[in-house]
Amino acid sequence: MKLIHSLLGFVIGIAVAAAAATTAQFSYGSCEAKPSKESGLCIHIRDCPYLYDILNASQATPEQNKLLADSQCGLDNTRQGVLVHRILVCCPESKRISQGTGAQGAGGAVATRAANAPEAANVLPSIGTCGVLFADRIIGGVETKLYEFPWMALLKYKKPNDEYGFHCGGTLINSRYVLTAGHCLASSKLDKYGWQLHSVRLGEWDTTTAPDCVTELGSGKRTCAPLHLDIEVEKRTIHELYVPNSIDQMHDIALLRLKTAVSYTDYVRPICLPVGNSLRKNDFEDYAMDVAGWGVTEDGKPSAVKLKITVDVWNLERCQQKYRAYQMHLNSSQMCAGGKANVDTCQGDSGGPLMVPTHEGNQEIFFVVGVTSYGPEPCGLLGWPGVYTRVTHFVDWIQQKLEP
């Protein structure tokens, strides 16, 4: 699991340049202001005159310095330069810039943070834009943290009785495209139950709450993520060689083009594709990798909270021998991982990513190297790994299918 990103201590007494007038006030979610416990919004400090004036004061009292430190709700890591331009604070409703003037503009509406302008839909994001977690990474555990794996997507299906449900996962790879499994779009199960893919959900953590909020142990600070995004699907592209319901499930890969482009935040951000030669040539044997999703758990029900496990990649020949006993044949476009008792992907995790972290310079960058395809039933059988579509085998296909 990964903790909510470490909040840096306030830098008090640094020289601050006068902030330029802004035309929109961006919110990073709701919060509880200290010490009044008044409801507030997590915004840039320069958009909160109440706290910004204290920061600029020639002599701040110890009480004021404590108020500044207690009010910090995060850092905008998408901005560069002086630290103060990145500080986020919980600004009480009563202290924010008044409606109709200043940063909020006419009507007083608060905009959702658009961290980065979307790139063209046929362009992959650069390393550093993709694959980054703005959090401390902690190995192990089952339940993820609020910031963890911001590229995770849920596929939402409409059912004949006008109900909706999440039954597959996916991975955001740029501002317009989500990578998933072919069987999430075409299978006998979908036909049997009359389920139709409706939309993709991004920025989700706990499907039972909106917005998602957590309280830090010790400090008691409460952090809330922006509301999740539900975006309809404009186009579905399944690999041409994929055969629905085939026993081998080769070429089990697909792309979803979203109707609207998404802007990147700490909670919605793409993962990187392994386009480099060193990654394409790597079989990743014996690598430990992360898998995440909202799939079925030990109690037989889907998890409300995004979960993760760590799985080890198998030697392909060894995995082929395992599945050959059931007349199932694997080839080099597939890979196997897992095999520990009760530690596995399961129903609902299909289409989600098998992820490997690498170090690019001083940054830990995540790449998607597998798409969850199938595994043993019941899930989590000792000695039986799950099977994943090997993304490095399909990088060229993915890039060819991306449209502007």
Side-chain angles (χ1 to χ4, degrees):
M1 291 182 283
K2 296 166 183 66
L3 293 171
I4 302 303
H5 68 73
S6 300
L7 300 181
L8 299 182
F10 251 90
V11 178
I12 306 299
I14 62 173
V16 181
T22 57
T23 58
Q25 186 183 74
F26 294 110
S27 166
Y28 287 73
S30 57
C31 57
E32 183 180 86
K34 301 292 180 65
S36 65
K37 296 189 176 180
E38 180 185 349
S39 63
L41 286 176
C42 185
I43 60 177
H44 285 100
I45 189 170
R46 62 185 184 183
D47 292 331
C48 184
Y50 163 62
L51 295 172
Y52 192 62
D53 289 345
I54 295 175
L55 185 64
N56 282 322
S58 56
Q59 267 193 324
T61 67
E63 291 77 15
Q64 288 175 320
N65 286 342
K66 186 176 187 305
L67 174 62
L68 287 176
D70 289 344
S71 297
Q72 186 174 348
C73 56
L75 284 174
D76 180 358
N77 288 298
T78 65
R79 296 194 177 193
Q80 304 296 320
V82 183
L83 175 61
V84 73
H85 293 160
R86 298 188 285 130
I87 290 172
L88 306 175
V89 293
C90 185
C91 192
E93 291 282 357
S94 61
K95 303 291 186 181
R96 288 191 291 115
I97 296 172
S98 60
Q99 294 187 2
T101 62
Q104 273 190 275
V110 178
T112 302
R113 173 74 167 93
N116 289 327
E119 70 281 329
N122 62 336
V123 175
L124 292 172
S126 59
I127 291 176
T129 297
C130 64
V132 176
L133 291 180
F134 295 120
D136 293 328
R137 186 159 187 263
I138 298 177
I139 306 298
V142 175
E143 190 171 300
T144 62
K145 293 297 183 178
L146 197 60
Y147 275 69
E148 202 165 10
F149 308 131
W151 38 80
M152 294 295 300
L154 277 165
L155 273 54
K156 188 175 182 179
Y157 294 82
K158 184 178 181 181
K159 304 178 181 182
N161 55 2
D162 283 334
E163 291 184 357
Y164 293 85
F166 300 112
H167 299 288
C168 263
T171 316
L172 186 70
I173 60 169
N174 74 1
S175 63
R176 235 14 221 279
Y177 281 90
V178 168
L179 181 68
T180 189
H183 75 266
C184 290
L185 308 184
S187 73
S188 59
K189 185 175 181 179
L190 295 177
D191 295 337
K192 177 182 178 181
Y193 294 112
W195 295 349
Q196 295 183 343
L197 180 64
H198 177 267
S199 56
V200 170
R201 176 168 290 187
L202 299 169
E204 181 63 282
W205 181 61
D206 184 342
T207 59
T208 64
T209 61
D212 293 327
C213 298
V214 294
T215 301
E216 294 180 51
L217 295 175
S219 69
K221 286 185 178 178
R222 186 167 172 80
T223 301
C224 293
L227 285 174
H228 56 254
L229 304 174
D230 283 328
I231 305 175
E232 291 186 17
V233 175
E234 180 178 275
K235 184 176 182 180
R236 312 164 194 194
T237 304
I238 305 175
H239 196 281
E240 296 81 1
L241 297 180
Y242 175 66
V243 179
N245 311 314
S246 63
I247 189 171
D248 301 321
Q249 288 293 288
M250 293 178 186
H251 306 96
D252 187 12
I253 194 168
L255 287 169
L256 300 175
R257 180 181 171 89
L258 306 176
K259 278 193 176 180
T260 57
V262 297
S263 296
Y264 304 149
T265 70
D266 291 354
Y267 302 92
V268 177
R269 180 166 291 272
I271 198 169
C272 296
L273 277 179
V275 296
N277 285 333
S278 61
L279 289 172
R280 290 207 204 195
K281 294 176 181 178
N282 196 332
D283 62 11
F284 299 107
E285 185 177 326
D286 295 327
Y287 274 59
M289 297 195 179
D290 289 321
V291 183
W294 291 263
V296 172
T297 59
E298 291 85 352
D299 63 3
K301 298 177 182 178
S303 173
V305 176
K306 187 194 305 180
L307 303 178
K308 84 160 192 175
I309 57 173
T310 301
V311 293
D312 296 328
V313 177
W314 280 42
N315 169 275
L316 182 60
E317 237 178 84
R318 180 183 168 213
C319 187
Q320 286 172 325
Q321 290 172 0
K322 267 302 225 192
Y323 279 93
R324 197 172 291 134
Y326 290 88
Q327 306 304 310
M328 303 171 78
H329 303 280
L330 280 67
N331 67 16
S332 59
S333 70
Q334 296 163 298
M335 59 193 300
C336 302
K340 295 179 183 176
N342 300 317
V343 180
D344 197 5
T345 49
C346 205
Q347 288 88 356
D349 291 321
S350 289
L354 179 67
M355 302 170 279
V356 61
T358 68
H359 281 88
E360 305 287 334
N362 294 323
Q363 275 189 312
E364 186 179 52
I365 301 294
F366 280 80
F367 290 84
V368 53
V369 296
V371 173
T372 305
S373 183
Y374 67 91
E377 290 189 17
C379 311
L381 286 179
L382 179 64
W384 283 90
V387 178
Y388 299 81
T389 303
R390 190 182 294 271
V391 173
T392 52
H393 189 86
F394 295 97
V395 168
D396 291 338
W397 178 84
I398 293 170
Q399 291 182 299
Q400 289 165 8
K401 297 301 178 182
L402 301 181
E403 299 175 4

